[in-house]
Amino acid sequence: MKRGLVTELHVVVYCDGCGDIYSDDDGESICFDSTHQAVSYINARSARVGWRYDGDRVLCVHCVAVIWCPHGHHFPDVWQITVWPLGTTTRSRTCEVCGIREMEILS
């Protein structure tokens, strides 16, 4: 059993483009046990959070957008409306090229 202050090795993911750190919803960096675990996690969640790993580099949602949409995003005309449990209503749409999401609070 480990006790007290213990130094351990872990993997933290940084964007190869801008240096941004991969974090959870609260802005805290996520620590992985191995590079393989980090890559698997990003690949499994990439469609939802926008980070991409191409086998060589890992890029954040903003760097992906710069590469794929240098002259502007291609959003569909139709918005998706969401009414949240606490009464907030939002509308959102996703760029058809890079996958970055645009969201607005309506009420």
Side-chain angles (χ1 to χ4, degrees):
M1 172 188 311
K2 296 179 185 177
R3 294 182 180 178
L5 302 174
V6 178
T7 301
E8 295 184 341
L9 298 176
H10 60 270
V11 175
V12 178
V13 179
Y14 292 89
C15 175
D16 282 314
C18 67
D20 194 16
I21 192 166
Y22 187 82
S23 59
D24 62 15
D25 294 335
D26 296 327
E28 295 292 325
S29 63
I30 300 175
C31 298
F32 299 97
D33 294 332
S34 66
T35 302
H36 177 74
Q37 182 188 35
V39 168
S40 295
Y41 187 83
I42 288 173
N43 286 339
R45 292 176 42 99
S46 66
R48 197 175 77 137
V49 296
W51 283 65
R52 301 283 189 269
Y53 177 69
D54 65 7
D56 180 41
R57 300 182 315 157
V58 62
L59 297 172
C60 71
V61 63
H62 303 292
C63 290
V64 168
V66 168
I67 291 170
W68 289 100
C69 298
H71 304 294
H73 297 290
H74 302 279
F75 290 107
D77 293 331
V78 179
W79 290 80
Q80 178 181 347
I81 304 296
T82 304
V83 178
W84 297 93
L86 296 177
T88 302
T89 302
T90 62
R91 70 178 189 166
S92 63
R93 57 187 182 171
T94 303
C95 176
E96 296 168 338
V97 177
C98 71
I100 197 168
R101 186 174 217 183
E102 176 179 57
M103 183 185 303
E104 296 177 354
I105 297 174
L106 299 176
S107 64

